[in-house]
């Protein structure tokens, strides 16, 4: 049975997505937010907004970002706290790519409590590393229009050629196995403690991310709706 979202139905939850690069975290977070017309919050977007508007946080972050360094928690956490105070967040929102560490998760938990939010609903998009590796290393991008294919899961009609515009399909340097392998290991090292932390709090909901985008989306919706209103 496919769960539906009624018109004007509110999310009424703080949803956090965890998952390795390639698990579809960004896609699922945006889709869930869209279904409920809820804010989709990414710290990258927040940083860009603060820099564009020249706020004091933005002015502090800009030189750090310019040097290609990681913006420290002292700035990121204040941005997050400021963002979730805004009225558009009052009926729930979706985090994409935050928190990344247990320290950030603890801070977020306190911040949510202070603002009267319920405990977050954490979705872990879990996927077998070998499937993930295939998904990432199989990716090919069109040099002309930027269309994305996958030689295993979504191949073009003619190998190496874009269906839409005949452009050449290439593998981005970032998608090569020697780059992906260490990235996935780094992710695992950072996120395993975070998943364990939320697991101990009983807030972690594991979803199999090896399925299609649509199937995973249905499961996300089903699991979010199954516990709505719970505290
Ligand atoms: Zn193309």
């Amino acid at each position: 049975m496919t769960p539906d979202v009624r018109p004007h139905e509110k999310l009424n939850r703080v949803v956090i997505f965890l998952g390795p690069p390639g698990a579809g975290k960004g896609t699922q977070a945006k889709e869930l937010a869209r279904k409920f017309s809820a804010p989709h919050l990414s710290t990258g977007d927040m940083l860009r907004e603060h820099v564009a508007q020249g706020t004091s946080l933005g002015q502090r972050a800009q030189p750090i970002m310019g040097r290609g360094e990681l913006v420290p928690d002292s700035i990121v956490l204040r941005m997050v706290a400021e963002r979730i105070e805004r009225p558009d967040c009052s009926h729930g929102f979706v985090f994409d790519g935050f928190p990344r560490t247990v320290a950030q998760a603890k801070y977020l938990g306190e911040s949510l409590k202070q603002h009267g939010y319920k405990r977050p609903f954490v979705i872990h998009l879990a996927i077998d590393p070998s499937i993930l590796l295939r998904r990432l290393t199989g990716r090919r991008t069109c040099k002309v229009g930027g269309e994305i294919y996958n030689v295993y899961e979504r191949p073009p009609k003619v190998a190496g050629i874009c269906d839409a515009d005949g452009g050449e399909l290439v593998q981005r340097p970032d998608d090569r196995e020697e780059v992906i392998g260490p990235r996935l290991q780094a992710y695992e090292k950072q996120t395993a403690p975070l998943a364990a932390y939320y697991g101990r709090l009983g807030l972690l909901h594991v979803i199999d991310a090896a399925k299609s985008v649509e199937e995973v989306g249905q499961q996300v919706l089903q699991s979010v709706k199954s516990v709505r209103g719970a505290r």
Side-chain angles (χ1 to χ4, degrees):
M1 181 66 194
T2 300
D4 279 321
V5 177
R6 297 187 311 274
H8 310 297
E9 185 174 347
K10 305 289 187 208
L11 181 61
N12 287 331
R13 284 214 147 253
V14 174
V15 181
I16 291 169
F17 279 91
L18 305 182
K25 193 171 47 183
T27 305
Q28 296 298 342
K30 277 188 198 131
E31 185 56 16
L32 183 67
R34 190 193 62 77
K35 280 177 181 147
F36 289 96
S37 303
H40 164 259
L41 307 185
S42 98
T43 52
D45 288 347
M46 285 180 218
L47 278 166
R48 280 186 287 277
E49 192 189 310
H50 276 269
V51 169
Q53 293 179 352
T55 67
S56 63
L57 288 175
Q59 286 172 15
R60 279 170 57 197
Q62 193 165 27
I64 300 168
M65 292 161 77
R67 292 195 297 271
E69 292 169 14
L70 211 60
V71 177
D73 272 4
S74 58
I75 295 178
V76 172
L77 298 178
R78 277 184 55 196
M79 266 182 359
V80 167
E82 182 267 343
R83 182 64 187 86
I84 66 177
E85 274 180 33
R86 294 192 209 165
D88 65 337
C89 284
S90 61
H91 296 294
F93 52 89
V94 181
F95 267 121
D96 180 0
F98 179 89
R100 285 184 197 277
T101 62
V102 173
Q104 289 184 343
K106 286 182 176 165
Y107 176 90
L108 177 66
E110 282 306 310
S111 203
L112 291 174
K113 207 191 292 178
Q114 267 174 29
H115 290 95
Y117 289 106
K118 295 174 206 167
R119 302 212 293 174
F121 187 81
V122 185
I123 294 175
H124 189 190
L125 296 178
I127 184 164
D128 183 86
S130 63
I131 296 173
L132 192 55
L133 201 60
R134 236 172 75 123
R135 189 179 274 188
L136 292 167
T137 59
R139 193 149 66 178
R140 299 291 182 277
T141 310
C142 171
K143 275 174 99 171
V144 176
E147 292 86 353
I148 294 169
Y149 297 84
N150 189 295
V151 295
Y152 306 111
E153 295 176 353
R154 214 165 61 84
K157 292 195 183 86
V158 181
I161 305 287
C162 176
D163 293 345
D165 52 27
E168 185 193 347
L169 301 182
V170 293
Q171 185 176 39
R172 296 184 321 171
D174 282 1
D175 290 340
R176 283 178 302 132
E177 188 160 350
E178 53 273 36
V179 178
I180 297 283
R183 250 179 83 203
L184 292 181
Q185 282 160 19
Y187 168 84
E188 196 53 46
K189 208 175 149 193
Q190 195 179 41
T191 305
L194 193 55
Y197 168 76
Y198 281 126
R200 280 196 303 274
L201 293 177
L203 302 177
L204 195 67
H205 303 263
V206 180
I207 286 181
D208 176 12
K211 302 204 172 89
S212 72
V213 171
E214 292 73 21
E215 283 174 296
V216 175
Q218 285 303 329
Q219 288 203 10
V220 165
L221 193 56
Q222 210 158 21
S223 93
V224 168
K225 290 189 79 141
S226 70
V227 296
R228 275 189 336 124
R231 278 174 196 270

